[in-house]
């Protein structure tokens, strides 16, 4: 359910040409069924002229409710259409979690 909320908010705010939201919670030391770790791959020309930090801040701002709740981590991969063209055969891996094993 959290994944769907994230997708809906990102589609509304950024009108992506490509969006993939993956629940990676199973890869971390969290209880079964946790929706706490996500990878977001988003391609939108709304990022043209924006540095990665500004892109990430915009996403964090849009997902502030989820981040204040059960979402512990977001691995963000953000691209313009032009940037994305050169990455079509690249596998985008998420970093290892260094946080706590459970949410308080």
């Amino acid at each position: 359910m959290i994944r769907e909320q994230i997708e809906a908010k990102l589609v509304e705010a950024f009108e992506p040409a490509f969006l993939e939201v993956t629940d990676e919670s199973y890869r971390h030391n969290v209880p079964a069924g946790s929706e706490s770790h996500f990878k977001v791959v988003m391609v939108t020309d709304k990022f043209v002229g924006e540095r990665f930090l500004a892109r990430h801040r915009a996403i964090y701002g849009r997902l502030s409710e989820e981040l204040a709740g059960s979402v512990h981590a977001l691995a963000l991969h953000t691209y313009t259409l032009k940037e994305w063209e050169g990455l079509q055969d690249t596998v985008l891996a998420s970093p290892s979690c260094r946080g706590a094993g459970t949410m308080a």
Side-chain angles (χ1 to χ4, degrees):
M1 179 154 169
I2 299 293
R3 185 182 61 77
E4 290 85 3
Q5 286 176 278
I6 291 171
E7 286 178 352
K9 286 186 173 186
L10 294 178
V11 166
E12 179 184 321
F14 299 99
E15 301 170 1
F18 177 83
L19 176 64
E20 181 178 70
V21 179
T22 306
D23 184 349
E24 295 186 329
S25 302
Y26 70 93
R27 297 180 59 216
H28 302 276
N29 185 24
V30 296
S34 295
E35 292 183 291
S36 57
H37 294 70
F38 292 88
K39 176 170 71 173
V40 173
V41 179
M42 185 163 51
V43 180
T44 178
D45 273 342
K46 292 208 178 219
F47 291 148
V48 171
E50 297 286 337
R51 294 181 182 218
F52 286 109
L53 183 58
R55 297 174 188 188
H56 292 197
R57 284 182 177 158
I59 293 169
Y60 295 147
R62 188 65 180 116
L63 301 178
S64 61
E65 291 177 25
E66 290 76 11
L67 291 165
S70 65
V71 175
H72 168 72
L74 286 174
L76 299 177
H77 304 274
T78 58
Y79 307 98
T80 65
L81 287 169
K82 185 175 180 179
E83 292 166 343
W84 182 246
E85 288 173 3
L87 296 173
Q88 290 303 305
D89 296 321
T90 303
V91 175
L92 305 170
S94 296
S96 298
C97 180
R98 296 176 192 230
T102 60
M103 297 295 295

